[in-house]
């Protein structure tokens, strides 16, 4: 009996095993034979994706190779929404990514001109249109997006119909009363945003989808840079959740090696809406980073490298299966990214730091409630290169554009720290204009260095001269302030004492036409050639008065020759004019670019050649006569400024200036100088708004001269120029 039962169990087990084997064989047959080709094809399905990989920007260094701006390795997040699935899946992935960034305090790209929180408002005065270079009204990104969407009455009822969008040419045409709240409501429907989402989540998601829409217009690129400088914690969270279409990749961001020269260096950021057409025509993609302001923008073509083209194969889950660089079909070369060239500036970083320090301490120590800011420019006399340029107040590039609170504080500061006063501040030159009038009168043979003109306290011309100024006899500042006179003065003494009567007299001899012409020849009232852009200013004269809607009277000449009236110049123009005067009349364009080096510094890509704008045929004896007067300002014991220059390693020539800007505030203070006196190498101008007297700036400029020419500060520069100090 037991044997029979054992036999039955054996047969049952054998039957079960046989059935399992038959079933397994059937499944294998189905997979490998019947459906084998289908599964084999499915297993090899890959999604091709082409990405543009931006090259590292070139470095910015000073004239001795000291690093000003370089690159720091970091990570960025890019999105490819084309593989995220349908709207619901896509929106869920994007919202999860947004929450990760919020948890890790990471900002992401969102240029939608609507506030982040309800009640929603526009964050731009013209959120839907902009004026192009010809003044024509054009749709901006949001306007173009809305114009392209089939919103109609169901989404934006009674406010913005398609026919309005097609015919709009101005803000007024775009449906009055269309609010930001209504735009958000309409886009929420269009992008199929879940109704259960909060206003904040919906707005954040709309902002991202808005960016996706913008980039869908650029056929060269499907992925876009969502966020940069991403933290490790955020990267870990993204990797853990395996978000389809979200890629974390290594990249570089700009790193500042100095807090100085903020007004000069500029920054790197996404292409601004108003500049998109220009960059699009140059082959840029919408997510490319570009220089914004300063050196970064001025030398963009050098600093920007050649982007690479990366071909990726992705699985259906969005994971990268393989990556290869695209190959140029004509040359056979790999299209990997090539770093940008390195830009070497004419700046001396150590001098720049010193100049900024001196300017700040000078303004802060004046302790005047009226003082608002100032600027200093140091220029090479013999080629126009800028050695240092400072504007006060300043800001820290490494923080102000990374921190919203810091940026808003600087933006709303009434002293306007973003304004580069050295290039964009325009000021009456005051008595710093007098050396120009002096050289003009000498050149025209209307005065000699030895001729003495009597200062009686107020202007009185010789009897043989017709007095064309009626009852107006302008006074000398010395008479007005002390009720005294300078007596008889020659040219050098008149420059030392800044005698108004002397310059009224020779200005009368010159006439406004010749004064104007010399001012223009010396570069006043026009741009100096600096690569960063600059204000133009004005030179006083009949045409200027007419352009400003004012009437010109003959007596305006007298104010013009002492640097008042409508004379308005920038500090860089002042420096360049003094440089032109003391080098004998060679008027060079100012410049910051010294040379461009290849990405590995192995070769020179470009070498700046000094640009001579014009040459004034100045008699050397006349130049020496004016220089002598400026020498007296800095060295004659009768000059209040001489105490600050007596112990310097070189002799200096200088001129003070004060320019009244309003009756109830202190005058602007100005000071110009050059050194060494016998062989000029540098020219310096300094302006302090509401600084009262140019004499207040003598100590500051003396400190700069001392620093530049002192042995301990020049040792490094001697013999090391064009050598990198890494």
């Amino acid at each position: 009996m037991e044997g029979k039962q054992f036999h039955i169990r054996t047969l049952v087990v054998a039957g079960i095993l046989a059935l399992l084997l038959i079933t397994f064989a059937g499944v294998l047959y189905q997979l490998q034979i019947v459906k084998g080709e289908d599964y084999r094809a499915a297993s090899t399905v890959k999604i091709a994706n082409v990405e543009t990989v931006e090259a590292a920007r070139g470095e910015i260094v000073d004239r001795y190779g000291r690093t000003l701006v370089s690159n720091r390795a970091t990570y960025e997040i890019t999105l490819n929404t084309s593989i995220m699935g349908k709207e619901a899946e896509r929106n869920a992935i994007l919202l999860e990514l947004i929450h990760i960034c919020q948890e890790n305090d990471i900002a992401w790209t969102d240029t939608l001109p609507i506030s982040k929180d309800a009640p929603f408002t526009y964050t731009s005065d013209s959120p839907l249109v902009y004026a192009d270079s010809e003044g024509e009204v054009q749709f901006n990104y949001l306007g173009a997006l809305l114009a392209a969407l089939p919103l109609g009455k169901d989404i934006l009822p009674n406010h913005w119909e398609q026919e309005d969008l097609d015919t709009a040419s101005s803000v007024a045409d775009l449906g009055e009363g269309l609010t930001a709240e209504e735009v958000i409501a309409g886009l929420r429907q269009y992008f199929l945003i879940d109704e259960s989402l909060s206003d904040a989540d919906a707005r954040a998601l709309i902002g991202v989808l808005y960016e996706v829409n913008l980039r869908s217009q650029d056929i060269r690129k499907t992925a876009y840079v969502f966020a940069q400088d991403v933290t490790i914690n955020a990267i870990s969270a993204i990797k853990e959740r395996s978000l389809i279409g979200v890629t974390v990749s290594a990249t570089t961001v700009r790193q500042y090696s100095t807090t100085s020269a903020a007004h000069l260096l500029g920054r790197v950021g996404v292409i601004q809406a108003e500049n998109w057409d220009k960059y699009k025509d140059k082959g840029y993609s919408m997510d490319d980073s570009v220089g914004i302001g300063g050196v970064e923008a001025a030398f963009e073509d050098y600093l920007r490298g050649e982007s690479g083209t990366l071909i990726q194969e992705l699985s259906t889950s969005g994971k990268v299966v393989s990556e290869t660089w695209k190959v140029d079909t004509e040359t056979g070369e790999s299209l990997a990214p090539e770093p940008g060239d390195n830009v070497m500036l004419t700046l001396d970083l150590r001098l720049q730091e010193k100049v900024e320090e001196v300017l700040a301490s000078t303004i802060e120590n004046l302790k005047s409630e009226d003082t608002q800011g100032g600027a200093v420019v140091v220029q090479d006399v013999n080629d126009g290169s800028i050695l240092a340029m400072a504007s006060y107040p300043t800001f820290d590039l490494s923080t102000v554009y990374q921190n919203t609170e810091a940026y808003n504080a600087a933006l709303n500061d009434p002293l306007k720290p973003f304004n580069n006063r050295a290039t964009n501040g325009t000021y009456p030159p005051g008595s710093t204009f007098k050396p120009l009038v002096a050289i003009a009168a000498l050149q025209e043979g209307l005065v000699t260095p030895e001729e003495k003109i009597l200062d009686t306290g107020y202007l009185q011309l010789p009897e043989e001269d017709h007095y064309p100024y009626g009852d107006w006899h302008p006074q000398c500042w010395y008479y007005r302030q002390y009720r005294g006179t300078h007596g008889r003065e020659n040219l050098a003494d008149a420059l030392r004492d800044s005698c108004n009567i002397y310059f009224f007299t020779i200005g009368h001899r010159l006439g406004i036409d010749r004064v104007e012409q010399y001012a223009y020849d010396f570069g006043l009232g026009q741009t100096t050639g600096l690569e960063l852009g600059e204000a133009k200013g004005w030179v006083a004269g009949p045409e200027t008065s007419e352009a400003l809607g004012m009437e010109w009277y003959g007596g305006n000449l007298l104010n013009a020759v002492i640097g008042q009236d409508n004379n308005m110049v920038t500090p860089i123009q002042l420096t360049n004019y003094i440089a032109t005067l003391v080098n004998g009349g060679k008027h060079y364009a100012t410049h910051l670019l010294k040379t461009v080096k290849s990405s590995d510094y192995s070769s020179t890509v470009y070498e700046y050649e000094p640009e001579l704008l014009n040459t004034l045929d100045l008699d050397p004896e006349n130049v020496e006569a004016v220089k002598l007067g400026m020498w007296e300002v800095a060295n004659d014991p009768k000059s209040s400024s001489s105490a600050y220059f007596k112990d310097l390693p070189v002799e200096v020539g200088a001129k003070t200036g004060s320019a009244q800007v309003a009756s109830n505030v202190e005058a602007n203070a100005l000071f110009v100088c050059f050194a060494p006196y016998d062989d000029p190498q540098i020219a310096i101008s300094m302006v302090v708004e509401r600084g009262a007297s140019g004499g207040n700036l003598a100590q500051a400029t003396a400190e700069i001269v001392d620093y530049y020419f002192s042995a301990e500060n020049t040792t490094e520069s001697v013999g090391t120029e064009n050598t990198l100090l890494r």
Side-chain angles (χ1 to χ4, degrees):
M1 186 67 178
E2 290 180 0
K4 186 176 181 180
Q5 288 177 342
F6 177 77
H7 183 67
I8 292 172
R9 291 192 195 100
T10 301
L11 290 175
V12 170
V13 171
I16 292 171
L17 290 173
L19 183 61
L20 289 173
L21 287 172
I22 292 170
T23 302
F24 183 65
V27 170
L28 288 177
Y29 181 81
Q30 180 73 12
L31 291 174
Q32 296 184 6
I33 305 301
V34 178
K35 296 288 186 179
E37 288 301 321
D38 293 338
Y39 283 117
R40 190 175 296 109
S43 68
T44 58
V45 168
K46 294 171 185 159
I47 301 172
N49 182 50
V50 178
E51 279 196 12
T52 299
V53 180
E54 195 168 342
R57 288 177 75 82
E59 295 183 339
I60 302 172
V61 299
D62 83 341
R63 68 188 301 117
Y64 302 117
R66 306 184 191 97
T67 302
L68 302 172
V69 185
S70 57
N71 300 305
R72 172 171 57 85
T74 185
Y75 294 91
E76 66 182 12
I77 299 172
T78 57
L79 301 183
N80 186 351
T81 56
S82 65
I83 62 173
M84 289 184 179
K86 294 186 177 180
E87 287 85 354
E89 292 85 358
R90 177 201 65 190
N91 291 353
I93 291 170
L94 294 177
L95 189 59
E96 193 167 2
L97 176 61
I98 287 170
H99 288 161
I100 291 173
C101 289
Q102 289 172 335
E103 292 164 5
N104 290 275
D105 195 26
I106 294 173
W108 61 90
T109 304
D110 183 343
T111 60
L112 182 67
I114 294 177
S115 61
K116 302 294 191 296
D117 300 304
F120 298 113
T121 58
Y122 291 121
T123 57
S124 167
D125 293 334
S126 53
L128 307 175
V129 295
Y130 72 97
D132 63 18
S133 59
E134 298 179 354
E136 296 293 327
V137 175
Q138 306 287 343
F139 282 124
N140 64 12
Y141 290 160
L142 181 55
L145 174 60
L146 294 173
L149 300 183
L151 298 179
K153 293 183 179 179
D154 293 337
I155 296 180
L156 299 175
N158 305 320
H159 283 303
W160 201 349
E161 299 182 6
Q162 189 64 45
E163 59 191 47
D164 298 323
L165 300 169
D166 293 339
T167 60
S169 61
S170 69
V171 179
D173 291 338
L174 294 178
E176 293 183 5
L178 181 63
T179 67
E181 291 273 1
E182 290 167 330
V183 172
I184 290 294
L187 293 177
R188 187 165 182 156
Q189 291 184 50
Y190 177 76
F191 289 130
L192 303 179
I193 307 296
D194 192 328
E195 294 181 1
S196 66
L197 289 186
S198 67
D199 285 343
D201 278 352
R203 165 61 185 85
L205 188 52
I206 288 171
V208 175
L209 293 171
Y210 168 70
E211 298 292 337
V212 171
N213 244 281
L214 299 185
R215 284 150 185 81
S216 68
Q217 302 172 31
D218 187 356
I219 62 174
R220 293 163 297 181
K221 197 168 185 177
T222 56
Y224 86 90
V225 178
F226 175 78
Q228 293 181 313
D229 214 5
V230 183
T231 63
I232 295 299
N233 289 340
I235 294 172
S236 300
I238 292 169
K239 294 293 186 183
E240 287 172 4
R241 301 181 199 185
S242 299
L243 301 179
I244 295 175
V246 179
T247 303
V248 178
S249 54
T251 186
T252 59
V253 294
R254 288 311 237 179
Q255 177 169 279
Y256 301 95
S257 302
T258 178
T259 57
S260 297
H263 294 95
L264 305 181
L265 296 177
R267 62 187 177 94
V268 172
V270 296
I271 297 172
Q272 296 167 319
E274 59 271 22
N275 296 325
W276 168 235
D277 288 341
K278 177 183 75 172
Y279 285 111
K280 180 171 63 175
D281 292 342
K282 290 184 175 182
Y284 283 66
S285 294
M286 193 174 291
D287 284 310
D288 287 344
S289 295
V290 297
I292 300 176
V295 169
E296 293 279 16
F299 306 128
E300 167 74 13
D301 292 344
Y302 291 121
L303 293 167
R304 177 178 171 79
E306 291 288 337
S307 299
T309 303
L310 184 66
I311 299 176
Q312 294 179 325
E313 289 188 334
L314 309 178
S315 67
T316 53
S317 64
K319 292 184 178 179
V320 177
V321 176
S322 66
E323 291 182 331
T324 56
W325 294 112
K326 185 178 180 180
V327 175
D328 189 306
T329 54
E330 294 183 2
T331 65
E333 295 180 356
S334 171
L335 297 181
E338 297 181 9
D341 297 321
N342 302 305
V343 168
M344 178 174 283
L345 303 180
T346 60
L347 289 180
D348 178 342
L349 176 58
R350 298 291 173 257
L351 179 64
Q352 177 74 26
E353 292 168 342
K354 181 64 176 179
V355 167
E356 291 192 18
E357 174 195 321
V358 169
L359 177 62
S361 63
T362 299
I363 293 176
E364 290 162 6
N365 290 336
L366 281 175
K367 297 179 181 178
S368 168
E369 293 181 0
D370 291 329
T371 301
Q372 296 180 335
V376 177
V377 179
V378 184
Q379 176 181 325
D380 189 313
V381 162
N382 296 307
D383 67 3
S385 58
I386 300 301
L387 303 175
M389 181 187 293
S391 180
Y392 179 92
T394 186
F395 56 95
D396 187 345
L397 268 172
S398 63
T399 61
V400 75
Y401 290 109
Q402 309 300 322
N403 183 292
T404 302
E405 186 175 339
Y407 175 78
N408 288 334
L411 186 65
N412 297 319
D413 188 330
L415 297 183
K416 300 182 179 179
F418 289 141
N419 179 32
N420 184 358
R421 287 165 162 84
T423 58
N424 297 322
T426 55
Y427 308 94
S431 293
T432 63
F433 192 74
K434 290 175 180 175
L436 185 149
V437 177
I439 193 70
L442 289 169
Q443 286 292 116
E444 297 298 322
L446 299 174
V447 72
T448 65
E450 298 79 19
E451 180 186 353
K452 292 187 176 182
I453 294 174
L454 177 62
D455 172 13
T456 61
Y458 55 93
L459 179 61
Q460 298 182 77
L461 296 178
E463 290 184 4
E464 61 270 18
D465 267 352
H466 170 63
Y467 192 85
Y469 310 114
D471 294 331
W472 184 50
H473 294 268
Q475 299 173 344
C476 184
W477 69 270
Y478 192 74
Y479 179 81
R480 189 170 56 250
Q481 192 166 342
Y482 300 109
R483 310 311 294 179
T485 73
H486 292 118
R488 290 189 175 275
E489 295 213 307
N490 61 22
L491 186 142
D493 292 344
L495 282 169
R496 178 196 64 202
D497 298 332
S498 203
C499 179
N500 284 354
I501 302 304
Y502 184 95
F503 288 96
F504 288 152
T505 303
I506 65 172
H508 167 75
R509 297 176 185 176
L510 278 164
I512 192 59
D513 290 343
R514 284 189 282 201
V515 173
E516 269 190 297
Q517 188 58 55
Y518 274 89
Y520 286 127
D521 288 345
F522 275 101
L524 302 184
Q526 54 195 299
T527 56
T528 67
L530 191 72
E531 301 95 336
L532 307 192
E534 54 193 310
K536 196 172 181 181
W538 301 96
V539 168
E543 291 184 4
T544 296
S545 290
E546 183 180 357
L548 296 173
M550 304 168 69
E551 191 167 349
W552 174 265
Y553 299 97
N556 290 51
L557 164 67
L558 303 180
N559 279 331
V561 297
I562 60 169
Q564 296 278 178
D565 198 68
N566 288 324
N567 283 313
M568 297 291 284
V569 302
T570 61
I572 194 172
Q573 287 176 9
L574 272 181
T575 316
N576 202 27
Y577 129 61
I578 294 299
T580 302
L581 173 62
V582 300
N583 74 19
K586 294 180 179 179
H587 178 204
Y588 289 102
T590 66
H591 63 100
L592 274 169
L593 182 61
K594 179 175 174 59
T595 187
V596 179
K597 300 287 186 180
S598 61
S599 60
D600 60 357
Y601 289 97
S602 63
S603 61
T604 298
V605 175
Y606 174 80
E607 188 82 35
Y608 181 89
E609 292 292 335
E611 181 184 357
L612 193 61
L613 298 178
N614 61 283
T615 301
L616 289 80
D617 186 18
L618 302 181
D619 187 320
E621 291 186 1
N622 292 338
V623 172
E624 289 303 315
V626 176
K627 286 174 58 183
L628 177 60
M630 298 179 74
W631 178 91
E632 288 191 12
V633 173
N635 298 277
D636 192 318
K638 292 181 181 179
S639 169
S640 60
S641 301
S642 62
Y644 303 110
F645 294 96
K646 62 181 181 180
D647 296 324
L648 298 186
V650 295
E651 287 192 328
V652 176
K655 186 70 191 82
T656 59
S658 299
Q660 197 68 41
V661 291
S663 59
N664 58 342
V665 296
E666 292 281 11
N668 288 341
L670 303 97
F671 198 93
V672 295
C673 69
F674 66 92
Y677 172 75
D678 55 352
D679 182 21
Q681 295 177 30
I682 64 169
I684 303 174
S685 72
M686 185 173 186
V687 177
V688 172
E689 298 166 0
R690 318 297 192 260
S693 168
N696 291 338
L697 312 184
Q699 182 176 359
T701 51
E703 192 174 345
I704 295 170
V705 171
D706 185 41
Y707 182 88
Y708 185 82
F709 288 102
S710 60
E712 60 267 29
N713 296 314
T714 57
T715 300
E716 182 181 50
S717 64
V718 175
T720 60
E721 190 156 336
N722 293 324
T723 302
L724 299 181
L725 305 178
R726 318 301 280 180

